[in-house]
Amino acid sequence: MASLVELLAKKRDGHVHEAGEIRRLIAALGTGELTDYQMSAWLMAAFLRGLDERETLELTDAMLESGVVLDLKDVPGTKVDKHSTGGVGDKVSISLAPLVAACGVPVPMVSGRGLGHTGGTLDKLEAIPGFRVDLSIDDYRRIVREVGTCMIGQTREIAPADKRIYALRDVTATVESIPLITASILSKKLAEGIDALVLDVKVGRGAFMKDLVRARALARSLVAVARRGGKGVTAFLTDMDHPLGLTIGNALETAEAIDVLHGRGPADLTEITLVLAAEMLVLGKVARDEAEGRAKAQAAIADGRAAETMRKMIAAQHGDPRVVDDLARLPRAEIVRVIPAARAGWIADVDPLALGLAGVEMGAGRTRAEQAVDPAVGIVLRATKGQRVEAGAPLCEVHVRTDAAFDAVAARIANAFTLGDAEVARGALILETIRGV
Ligand code: URA
């Protein structure tokens, strides 16, 4: 049998691993036989040489098997989750999970925190007073059964090998690898006890994948590996060249997601939520096709069932459910300053990356995993791409704790807006759909 060092050399030299070899590496990482620096060497080799589909599946399975696969057999129905690769203003999960659950499809969701310029669902949910994401597996299972959805963070039991490998990738410049991202995302998602998965692969400046070619390759890889793992799966490639919705920042985004549940959310956010919900209802076998799924989701918003499921989920997770009907109960920054348009014109561009980075600088996001976030601060767009503005009209509001905090980000935020002399269209929201059937 090849030694562990010989396995590292094999990938370094561009060979394909035989079945079982990647499992051995991950198992050896768990026992301590393979050190972090040896794993890092293999990760760099895999980053440069690539992994084929079978190797990626084996890596996914090995990372999945490093922890527990949650058993949700006592929850009736086809369990479906959604995962987004992350963007700026992407608060879709917060409205989507209760909406889909209200339509009869259980949504067990293990989410992440914001890192870099992208926000995280857990940070947004924690803006709700009292809301807890660190529940036990037993509570998680019970809440999915009783409410239809529960949103928690990655526990120690879920894919511990991914946690360790992700920390190594973060500091060894090996994050942006399609097979490594595929295995990382799916090892966590497949541990949730789901039957099917909808993926929102974001494309553009505000996303991980900046161009359509790379995003498509990631989506295809995720779909292929999830399918071989026996799950129903659909990936949507969606636009992240403009912030999603009108808000950036934790409490502001949670409020906007609640607006979607009341049927008063912005058009782009509502549309993505409905498209993803419709697909989840089809995969969850309560709708025959997208049109029926969409109609069911719209009905659950219109008759209040989606908002009611949100209240129940918040209460079950120790939060204050009154926020659903009274957004003023969410934390608010003391100071709201407006950035005005320097001249009249058409909004030709709103750079999501610039606004995401400004949000991090204001304290809405983090640059290191252990940092705390400020739930109240953020940005509210008052103009979006394609709109006409007059000189002095508000481009956005900046919610801050101090005047100094505003001064620190004002120029960066103003520069994120480009004004032109001709009308420009916003562009398509859903760029492509890749179904795993
Ligand atoms: N999200 C993950 O969970 N893993 C990656 O590798 C990238 C994004």
Side-chain angles (χ1 to χ4, degrees):
M1 190 166 61
S3 71
L4 293 173
V5 173
E6 284 171 317
L7 294 187
L8 306 189
K10 192 167 187 175
K11 190 43 76 184
R12 178 200 64 197
D13 295 339
H15 300 295
V16 175
H17 282 298
E18 282 161 37
E21 289 182 347
I22 292 180
R23 265 204 168 77
R24 264 185 68 211
L25 288 170
I26 301 301
L29 181 70
T31 60
E33 207 189 332
L34 190 77
T35 62
D36 281 352
Y37 49 83
Q38 287 174 306
M39 189 71 223
S40 299
W42 183 82
L43 289 167
M44 184 58 84
F47 183 98
L48 295 171
R49 297 297 196 168
L51 300 177
D52 70 15
E53 192 181 311
R54 191 198 47 74
E55 291 177 298
T56 308
L57 181 65
E58 185 170 318
L59 178 62
T60 308
D61 284 344
M63 297 201 320
L64 173 69
E65 288 157 13
S66 70
V68 297
V69 177
L70 304 183
D71 179 1
L72 295 178
K73 283 197 199 71
D74 60 341
V75 178
T78 304
K79 276 119 343 230
V80 187
D81 188 16
K82 165 259 183 182
H83 178 80
S84 161
T85 56
V88 176
D90 181 4
K91 69 281 290 173
V92 170
S93 290
I94 295 170
S95 45
L96 185 67
L99 172 59
V100 171
C103 297
V105 172
V107 183
M109 194 179 272
V110 178
S111 299
R113 297 199 177 274
L115 192 59
H117 69 279
T118 65
T121 300
L122 300 179
D123 297 324
K124 294 169 200 178
L125 286 168
E126 282 179 344
I128 299 170
F131 196 95
R132 283 186 44 202
V133 298
D134 60 339
L135 304 180
S136 69
I137 303 272
D138 283 344
D139 281 343
Y140 167 76
R141 196 184 286 120
R142 177 182 54 77
I143 295 169
V144 174
R145 194 175 55 235
E146 290 175 5
V147 177
T149 186
C150 182
M151 301 168 90
I152 59 167
Q154 186 177 5
T155 68
R156 270 197 310 278
E157 297 97 326
I158 295 175
D162 168 65
K163 206 164 187 167
R164 186 130 165 237
I165 288 172
Y166 195 86
L168 296 176
R169 287 169 58 211
D170 205 21
V171 292
T172 56
T174 51
V175 170
E176 299 90 347
S177 147
I178 286 174
L180 296 181
I181 294 174
T182 301
S184 170
I185 291 175
L186 290 181
S187 63
K188 291 186 287 264
K189 286 285 142 182
L190 302 184
E192 292 173 345
I194 52 169
D195 303 301
L197 180 63
V198 169
L199 294 156
D200 183 358
V201 178
K202 299 274 179 216
V203 191
R205 287 167 296 170
F208 239 146
M209 297 289 146
K210 309 287 181 204
D211 64 81
L212 199 53
V213 173
R214 294 263 306 156
R216 192 182 289 129
L218 175 61
R220 286 194 177 138
S221 170
L222 286 162
V223 166
V225 173
R227 267 196 75 195
R228 288 188 58 175
K231 309 295 171 191
V233 58
T234 301
F236 293 94
L237 301 185
T238 69
D239 176 63
M240 189 28 75
D241 224 32
H242 189 286
L244 185 57
L246 301 175
T247 58
I248 298 161
N250 298 295
L252 293 167
E253 292 195 44
T254 296
E256 194 174 37
I258 290 172
D259 279 343
V260 171
L261 291 174
H262 287 303
R264 55 176 192 233
D268 60 347
L269 182 62
T270 301
E271 178 59 18
I272 292 220
T273 306
L274 288 174
V275 167
L276 297 179
E279 192 69 21
M280 289 171 78
L281 296 183
V282 172
L283 287 170
K285 303 189 175 71
V286 303
R288 277 184 304 267
D289 55 26
E290 275 173 85
E292 192 186 358
R294 190 180 179 97
K296 285 195 167 189
Q298 282 170 321
I301 290 174
D303 66 17
R305 275 176 296 136
E308 179 56 15
T309 304
M310 181 73 174
R311 283 183 206 99
K312 286 184 180 158
M313 180 189 79
I314 293 173
Q317 297 196 226
H318 310 280
D320 181 353
R322 293 173 298 177
V323 298
V324 174
D325 306 288
D326 182 6
L327 296 176
R329 289 180 182 275
L330 289 166
R332 284 177 177 207
E334 296 77 3
I335 299 172
V336 178
R337 298 275 296 269
V338 165
I339 304 248
R343 67 172 180 96
W346 298 90
I347 307 280
D349 186 39
V350 182
D351 181 349
L353 180 58
L355 293 181
L357 291 172
V360 173
E361 196 175 336
M362 292 160 68
R366 53 168 73 76
T367 49
R368 289 190 321 277
E370 67 283 1
Q371 275 173 336
V373 298
D374 184 338
V377 299
I379 301 164
V380 179
L381 303 186
R382 298 277 295 273
T384 54
K385 183 172 173 182
Q387 256 175 264
R388 167 96 195 156
V389 290
E390 300 309 322
L395 294 176
C396 67
E397 293 168 9
V398 186
H399 293 229
V400 280
R401 300 282 192 189
T402 62
D403 287 326
F406 174 76
D407 293 341
V409 293
R412 187 179 222 171
I413 293 177
N415 288 337
F417 291 81
T418 306
L419 280 159
D421 294 320
E423 191 172 359
V424 247
R426 166 86 182 261
L429 212 48
I430 311 286
L431 307 172
E432 273 175 38
T433 308
I434 299 173
R435 289 199 166 78
V437 283

